[in-house]
PDB file of all heavy atoms in Angstrom:
ATOM      1  N   MET A 100       0.838  -1.186   0.000  1.00 48.00           N
ATOM      2  CA  MET A 100       0.000   0.000   0.000  1.00 48.00           C
ATOM      3  C   MET A 100       0.873   1.237   0.000  1.00 48.00           C
ATOM      4  O   MET A 100       1.642   1.440   0.921  1.00 48.00           O
ATOM      5  CB  MET A 100      -0.856   0.036   1.263  1.00 48.00           C
ATOM      6  CG  MET A 100      -2.148  -0.688   1.176  1.00 48.00           C
ATOM      7  SD  MET A 100      -3.043  -0.551   2.723  1.00 48.00           S
ATOM      8  CE  MET A 100      -4.191   0.707   2.305  1.00 48.00           C
ATOM      9  N   ASP A 101       0.743   2.072  -0.983  1.00 50.00           N
ATOM     10  CA  ASP A 101       1.418   3.358  -0.999  1.00 50.00           C
ATOM     11  C   ASP A 101       0.547   4.356  -0.266  1.00 50.00           C
ATOM     12  O   ASP A 101      -0.550   4.684  -0.733  1.00 50.00           O
ATOM     13  CB  ASP A 101       1.604   3.838  -2.427  1.00 50.00           C
ATOM     14  CG  ASP A 101       2.996   3.640  -2.929  1.00 50.00           C
ATOM     15  OD1 ASP A 101       3.874   3.368  -2.099  1.00 50.00           O
ATOM     16  OD2 ASP A 101       3.182   3.769  -4.139  1.00 50.00           O
ATOM     17  N   GLN A 102       0.994   4.834   0.864  1.00 45.00           N
ATOM     18  CA  GLN A 102       0.171   5.731   1.658  1.00 45.00           C
ATOM     19  C   GLN A 102       0.934   6.999   2.010  1.00 45.00           C
ATOM     20  O   GLN A 102       2.109   6.930   2.340  1.00 45.00           O
ATOM     21  CB  GLN A 102      -0.280   5.050   2.957  1.00 45.00           C
ATOM     22  CG  GLN A 102      -1.082   3.798   2.762  1.00 45.00           C
ATOM     23  CD  GLN A 102      -2.334   4.007   1.937  1.00 45.00           C
ATOM     24  OE1 GLN A 102      -2.878   5.094   1.881  1.00 45.00           O
ATOM     25  NE2 GLN A 102      -2.772   2.973   1.272  1.00 45.00           N
ATOM     26  N   ALA A 166       1.229   1.810   6.670  1.00 93.00           N
ATOM     27  CA  ALA A 166       1.472   1.047   5.443  1.00 93.00           C
ATOM     28  C   ALA A 166       1.553  -0.453   5.686  1.00 93.00           C
ATOM     29  O   ALA A 166       1.314  -1.230   4.771  1.00 93.00           O
ATOM     30  CB  ALA A 166       2.760   1.525   4.779  1.00 93.00           C
ATOM     31  N   LEU A 192      -4.451  -0.317  10.645  1.00 97.00           N
ATOM     32  CA  LEU A 192      -4.384  -1.067   9.390  1.00 97.00           C
ATOM     33  C   LEU A 192      -4.238  -2.541   9.755  1.00 97.00           C
ATOM     34  O   LEU A 192      -3.169  -2.999  10.112  1.00 97.00           O
ATOM     35  CB  LEU A 192      -3.205  -0.596   8.535  1.00 97.00           C
ATOM     36  CG  LEU A 192      -3.060  -1.260   7.170  1.00 97.00           C
ATOM     37  CD1 LEU A 192      -4.312  -1.078   6.322  1.00 97.00           C
ATOM     38  CD2 LEU A 192      -1.842  -0.702   6.458  1.00 97.00           C
ATOM     39  N   ALA A 195      -2.872  -4.863   5.221  1.00 96.00           N
ATOM     40  CA  ALA A 195      -2.504  -4.045   4.070  1.00 96.00           C
ATOM     41  C   ALA A 195      -2.904  -4.760   2.775  1.00 96.00           C
ATOM     42  O   ALA A 195      -3.419  -4.142   1.852  1.00 96.00           O
ATOM     43  CB  ALA A 195      -1.009  -3.744   4.093  1.00 96.00           C
ATOM     44  N   PHE A 231      -6.938   6.519   2.470  1.00 95.00           N
ATOM     45  CA  PHE A 231      -6.140   5.294   2.514  1.00 95.00           C
ATOM     46  C   PHE A 231      -6.720   4.175   1.654  1.00 95.00           C
ATOM     47  O   PHE A 231      -6.149   3.096   1.580  1.00 95.00           O
ATOM     48  CB  PHE A 231      -5.946   4.843   3.962  1.00 95.00           C
ATOM     49  CG  PHE A 231      -5.114   5.795   4.747  1.00 95.00           C
ATOM     50  CD1 PHE A 231      -5.638   6.479   5.827  1.00 95.00           C
ATOM     51  CD2 PHE A 231      -3.794   6.037   4.398  1.00 95.00           C
ATOM     52  CE1 PHE A 231      -4.868   7.363   6.556  1.00 95.00           C
ATOM     53  CE2 PHE A 231      -3.015   6.928   5.121  1.00 95.00           C
ATOM     54  CZ  PHE A 231      -3.551   7.589   6.195  1.00 95.00           C
ATOM     55  N   LEU A 233      -9.127   2.070   1.975  1.00 97.00           N
ATOM     56  CA  LEU A 233      -9.430   0.790   2.598  1.00 97.00           C
ATOM     57  C   LEU A 233     -10.722   0.228   1.998  1.00 97.00           C
ATOM     58  O   LEU A 233     -11.613   0.975   1.592  1.00 97.00           O
ATOM     59  CB  LEU A 233      -9.556   0.942   4.111  1.00 97.00           C
ATOM     60  CG  LEU A 233      -8.289   1.384   4.834  1.00 97.00           C
ATOM     61  CD1 LEU A 233      -8.568   1.579   6.317  1.00 97.00           C
ATOM     62  CD2 LEU A 233      -7.154   0.393   4.630  1.00 97.00           C
TER      63      LEU A 233
END
Side-chain angles (χ1 to χ4, degrees):
M100 273 180 101
D101 258 347
Q102 300 302 334
L192 183 58
F231 294 116
L233 297 177

